[in-house]
Amino acid sequence: DGGITQSPKYLFRKEGQNVTLSCEQNLNHDAMYWYRQDPGQGLRLIYYSQIVNDFQKGDIAEGYSVSREKKESFPLTVTSAQKNPTAFYLCASTRGVPSGANVLTFGAGSRLTVL
Amino acid sequence: QQQVKQSPQSLIVQKGGISIINCAYENTAFDYFPWYQQFPGKGPALLIAIRPDVSEKKEGRFTISFNKSAKQFSLHIMDSQPGDSATYFCAADTGFQKLVFGTGTRLLVSP
């Protein structure tokens, strides 16, 4: 079955450590996205990528980094510079621009907790 | 101008009742308005979507009502069921790369 796989599902981190969240899709989608979800704040865009080797900052990119070396993969690194990293992270993808027939497909998410 | 304001934050409806969630926007360049449904521990999934050239779209028990002049749109869930208990997000899109999401509504349908 086609879909988006995020790993790990749960992750605990000590303050000052960098962590990398994995996102892999087998939908042959061109565009991939990372969102952060916090209670009462909805989904906020961190980074997005429309093609391989290219990505753009979203609304809350500070303290995060990404890479897009392969079409299928879009890992997110939460760096020690992110002041409040505890959150639910969602990866998404779409065939093209997410409007009209291009439905945004989400993974099941990764919950990061900083101890 | 890029915000989408969603209300209420939470909603409790009895089984068989009508659930109504409202969203408002400012940016008139938005041209696509989807609703996503999210169950606990899962990612959101597209539920229904509308473009501003129509005032209403219905799919089964789910209906979007759209008021272009007021810049508002709403989701109506008819005959609400316990299985509809989830968090619902409205969103808006200009057609350029990214969606803007509302803050979400947690719906609980009591048996």
Side-chain angles (χ1 to χ4, degrees):
Chain A
D1 288 340
I4 297 178
T5 301
Q6 289 188 241
S7 63
K9 190 169 180 63
Y10 300 96
L11 184 61
F12 296 89
R13 184 194 101 177
K14 293 181 179 179
E15 283 193 22
Q17 289 181 333
N18 292 356
V19 293
T20 296
L21 307 180
S22 171
C23 177
E24 302 279 334
Q25 55 98 357
N26 60 4
L27 300 166
N28 198 31
H29 282 176
D30 297 307
M32 298 187 73
Y33 304 77
W34 275 105
Y35 288 89
R36 170 178 171 145
Q37 183 174 9
D38 297 280
Q41 295 195 52
L43 305 176
R44 293 182 291 168
L45 183 64
I46 305 172
Y47 268 98
Y48 63 102
S49 168
Q50 291 181 282
I51 57 172
V52 174
N53 293 322
D54 187 46
F55 47 83
Q56 287 77 41
K57 293 181 179 180
D59 301 317
I60 55 165
E62 184 176 353
Y64 300 97
S65 66
V66 294
S67 62
R68 187 85 187 275
E69 297 178 358
K70 299 186 299 181
K71 186 177 183 178
E72 304 78 22
S73 179
F74 192 41
L76 173 74
T77 297
V78 184
T79 75
S80 56
Q82 168 52 231
K83 296 179 181 179
N84 185 20
T86 294
F88 190 51
Y89 290 88
L90 288 159
C91 179
S93 71
T94 186
R95 178 159 42 89
V97 174
S99 65
N102 291 320
V103 175
L104 203 60
T105 301
F106 284 89
S110 292
R111 186 167 297 280
L112 172 64
T113 302
V114 175
L115 303 173
Chain B
Q1 266 215 335
Q2 286 296 100
Q3 286 186 327
V4 176
K5 296 182 179 179
Q6 183 172 348
S7 63
Q9 187 173 7
S10 62
L11 180 62
I12 300 175
V13 173
Q14 286 194 335
K15 179 181 176 181
I18 302 174
S19 304
I20 301 174
I21 304 170
N22 301 300
C23 286
Y25 63 97
E26 290 294 328
N27 188 348
T28 55
F30 289 145
D31 67 354
Y32 174 68
F33 301 89
W35 285 88
Y36 281 79
Q37 179 188 54
Q38 182 182 31
F39 293 105
K42 305 293 185 183
L46 179 69
L47 183 63
I48 187 172
I50 196 169
R51 288 201 179 272
D53 53 348
V54 297
S55 61
E56 184 175 283
K57 183 173 182 180
K58 183 176 181 179
E59 290 184 2
R61 296 184 293 109
F62 300 91
T63 299
I64 300 178
S65 297
F66 190 87
N67 186 330
K68 188 174 182 178
S69 60
K71 291 184 283 187
Q72 296 175 346
F73 58 109
S74 60
L75 176 69
H76 296 236
I77 306 175
M78 311 300 289
D79 186 26
S80 299
Q81 299 297 312
D84 297 330
S85 298
T87 299
Y88 293 82
F89 293 95
C90 62
D93 179 36
T94 61
F96 294 95
Q97 294 103 9
K98 55 186 182 180
L99 289 172
V100 177
F101 284 88
T103 51
T105 296
R106 182 174 291 184
L107 171 66
L108 176 63
V109 181
S110 59

